[in-house]
Amino acid sequence: MAQYDVVIIGGGPGGYNAAIRAGQLGLKAAVVEMRETLGGTCLNVGCMPSKALLHASELYEAANTEFATLGIEVKPKLNLPQMQKQKADSVGQLTKGIEFLFKKNKVDWVKGRGRIAGAGKVEVTAADGAVTTLEAQNIVIATGSEPAGLPGVTVDNDRVLDSTGALALPQVPKHLVVIGAGIIGLELGSVWRRLGAKVTVVEFLDRITPGMDGEVAKAFQKALAKQGMEFRLGMKVTGGKAGKGGVALTMEPVAGGAAETIEADYVLLAIGRRPFTEGLGLETVGIETDKRGFIAADHWKTSAPGVWAIGDVTLGPMLAHKAEEEAVACIEAIAGKAGHVNYGIIPSVVYTAPEVAWVGKTEEELKAEGRAYKVGKFPFLANSRAKINHETEGFVKVLADAATDEILGAHLFGPSVSEMVGEYAVAMEFRAASEDVARTCHPHPTRSEALRQAAMGVEGWTMQA
């Protein structure tokens, strides 16, 4: 029976980063992963393949709509099989990269489905049915999440798709209906709209992207609508019947009213994700989940001694980088170090075009807390690099404490903001004031100057707008 300091169940961003950190700290570690490749949902059927299609579809749309303005005359032709192939090739390189890192850090990959089989034991069932048992001083649950279901709508990944199915369509839909106006639905909807599909988004709430600052969400919806995406907000989906040529989706207004049916050749169900905690043998060590399947953890410790939980199986944002942060902190705690995660400073991003990125508090949250704050804003329309690049939609918004000027939140809507929000995350980690950013020299001309100008605006001395 193989013995380890740490056995990690799940090889996604939480699991593989936990394993690598364990190896760095001299702990003998193993990862149990049931997929044929490492990387979990994120690398295999989530973050990475979606970004590959987002990038490719952006270029395709630019070639159709923007290149002529720039003096580049082309007539692009979509080769969807090649677009899907380059996506798969990129994903393959990333997953192989994790295998290399495992070897570098002396981490064992045990292939199969893992379950806890009592204190200090993990049972692994391989694809051929063979069962092995690993002994571990510490067990880390990092099994991630899976797409959430909806009563009356059965995913078959033929006509009714989850996010995995929507990444692998063999043809461009004529009409794609997306159920759910969250990050996943809007990103994948954007991909297929750019490639030629009519896209209708149906959302139960009366707004898109819950959790996003309200002002930004309104501007974001307006931008997507201008691009051609249709929105049906405040609508409850009651059923979906898939046929040979498409899907008949029934829905009714949340506020009451007549039911209606919408026809589409494909439907994407993207109403969120749920923790993957079934069948893990939690009962063998006395761990209970809540009604939604989440595992309670205090500083990543569960109620069972020596059993830890990180990532999507715990409460909090279901984000790969949140799982990565918890992975490092959890392993460091196991190794006797002071692991720490600042949950108030975990950025969120929507990788559409324009992008949306934010970190910290929204205006709605600050108002609910009764906290006095100041706002600084700057439009990309006034940013020289954005203007030259014809990327002027959007703005940067900074929220700072009215008394201390400490940055409480930053909300970015515009070009390449996913690459810039980290600046505010760093500033907030050091509890910087908006003046600190306002008085920090930024290179010219860059889009990042908008971050500085918005910080200037907190005290009313924006200079370029």
Side-chain angles (χ1 to χ4, degrees):
M1 192 179 295
Q3 297 183 340
Y4 294 92
D5 296 314
V6 185
V7 170
I8 300 150
I9 306 176
Y16 75 72
N17 279 285
I20 290 168
R21 188 64 182 130
Q24 290 175 339
L25 294 175
L27 301 175
K28 187 178 180 183
V31 168
V32 180
E33 172 55 53
M34 63 185 181
R35 291 180 188 271
E36 291 299 314
T37 52
L38 293 166
T41 294
C42 181
L43 265 69
N44 288 280
V45 291
C47 321
M48 298 309 168
S50 66
K51 302 311 165 286
L53 291 183
L54 282 160
H55 174 64
S57 63
E58 278 185 44
L59 293 177
Y60 177 75
E61 184 171 59
N64 274 301
T65 61
E66 298 176 31
F67 278 18
T69 304
L70 300 175
I72 306 169
E73 296 186 0
V74 295
K75 292 184 178 179
K77 180 182 177 182
L78 177 63
N79 183 342
L80 187 57
Q82 174 58 28
M83 190 176 287
Q84 294 285 18
K85 181 180 180 300
Q86 62 84 31
K87 175 200 73 176
D89 289 346
S90 297
V91 168
Q93 292 171 27
L94 289 170
T95 57
K96 286 182 175 62
I98 299 174
E99 289 186 49
F100 165 76
L101 291 171
F102 273 23
K103 292 175 183 176
K104 177 182 176 182
N105 291 284
K106 298 180 174 59
V107 174
D108 290 341
W109 172 16
V110 183
K111 299 181 181 181
R113 180 181 290 269
R115 66 180 296 275
I116 299 172
K121 293 183 179 180
V122 174
E123 189 177 86
V124 184
T125 303
D128 63 4
V131 178
T132 57
T133 301
L134 312 178
E135 286 192 349
Q137 293 184 28
N138 295 277
I139 298 169
V140 178
I141 301 168
T143 46
S145 59
E146 58 185 348
L150 181 67
V153 180
T154 302
V155 172
D156 57 14
N157 276 328
D158 178 24
R159 289 294 172 178
V160 181
L161 316 167
D162 59 15
S163 55
T164 301
L167 287 166
L169 283 174
Q171 62 191 31
V172 178
K174 295 182 179 66
H175 185 195
L176 172 67
V177 172
V178 179
I179 306 174
I183 293 174
I184 295 172
L186 296 181
E187 287 184 355
L188 293 175
S190 291
V191 166
W192 295 109
R193 184 204 59 75
R194 291 177 197 141
L195 298 180
K198 174 185 176 182
V199 176
T200 302
V201 179
V202 180
E203 169 58 46
F204 183 85
L205 300 176
D206 61 358
R207 57 161 291 172
I208 69 170
T209 51
M212 184 184 291
D213 183 88
E215 180 184 13
V216 176
K218 287 179 182 177
F220 181 38
Q221 182 184 338
K222 185 177 179 181
L224 294 176
K226 188 167 67 175
Q227 293 172 7
M229 195 174 285
E230 298 178 0
F231 290 92
R232 300 293 309 276
L233 304 180
M235 298 297 290
K236 178 184 178 181
V237 173
T238 55
K241 186 176 181 181
K244 204 168 188 181
V247 184
L249 201 67
T250 55
M251 57 187 185
E252 59 189 34
V254 174
E260 59 181 279
T261 300
I262 185 170
E263 302 278 348
D265 49 339
Y266 292 98
V267 167
L268 166 59
L269 180 61
I271 60 169
R273 299 181 66 82
R274 60 189 178 197
F276 190 90
T277 51
E278 289 186 16
L280 289 181
L282 301 179
E283 69 282 355
T284 67
V285 287
I287 295 175
E288 295 183 359
T289 65
D290 69 8
K291 292 180 180 179
R292 294 177 293 169
F294 288 103
I295 298 171
D298 181 9
H299 288 78
W300 321 291
K301 293 180 181 179
T302 70
S303 59
V307 182
W308 310 69
I310 61 173
D312 288 3
V313 298
T314 64
L315 291 170
M318 287 182 160
L319 299 169
H321 44 279
K322 179 251 195 184
E324 291 178 357
E325 286 296 293
E326 290 184 327
V328 172
C330 176
I331 295 299
E332 290 182 346
I334 287 172
K337 296 179 176 293
H340 174 71
V341 175
N342 187 342
Y343 287 98
I345 308 179
I346 296 177
S348 293
V349 179
V350 190
Y351 293 90
T352 48
E355 294 180 336
V356 186
W358 68 97
V359 61
K361 303 282 188 178
T362 65
E363 275 206 74
E364 290 77 17
E365 288 171 330
L366 293 176
K367 288 175 181 176
E369 292 174 5
R371 189 161 186 177
Y373 64 94
K374 292 183 179 180
V375 182
K377 285 172 61 176
F378 187 80
F380 278 103
L381 183 63
N383 175 266
S384 55
R385 181 65 185 276
K387 207 172 190 69
I388 288 295
N389 286 12
H390 308 285
E391 299 173 326
T392 56
E393 193 157 32
F395 56 90
V396 176
K397 175 178 176 180
V398 180
L399 308 174
D401 187 275
T404 67
D405 195 33
E406 180 182 351
I407 300 168
L408 304 176
H411 305 273
L412 290 60
F413 169 43
S416 302
V417 294
S418 63
E419 303 291 347
M420 295 187 279
V421 71
E423 174 179 334
Y424 270 105
V426 171
M428 291 170 68
E429 278 288 357
F430 285 91
R431 300 193 67 177
S434 72
E435 186 179 3
D436 292 321
V437 176
R439 295 191 181 277
T440 299
C441 186
H442 287 59
H444 175 76
T446 63
R447 303 174 190 89
S448 70
E449 290 177 280
L451 279 63
R452 183 187 189 191
Q453 293 290 325
M456 290 176 173
V458 172
E459 295 297 333
W461 60 290
T462 297
M463 298 178 66
Q464 294 176 4

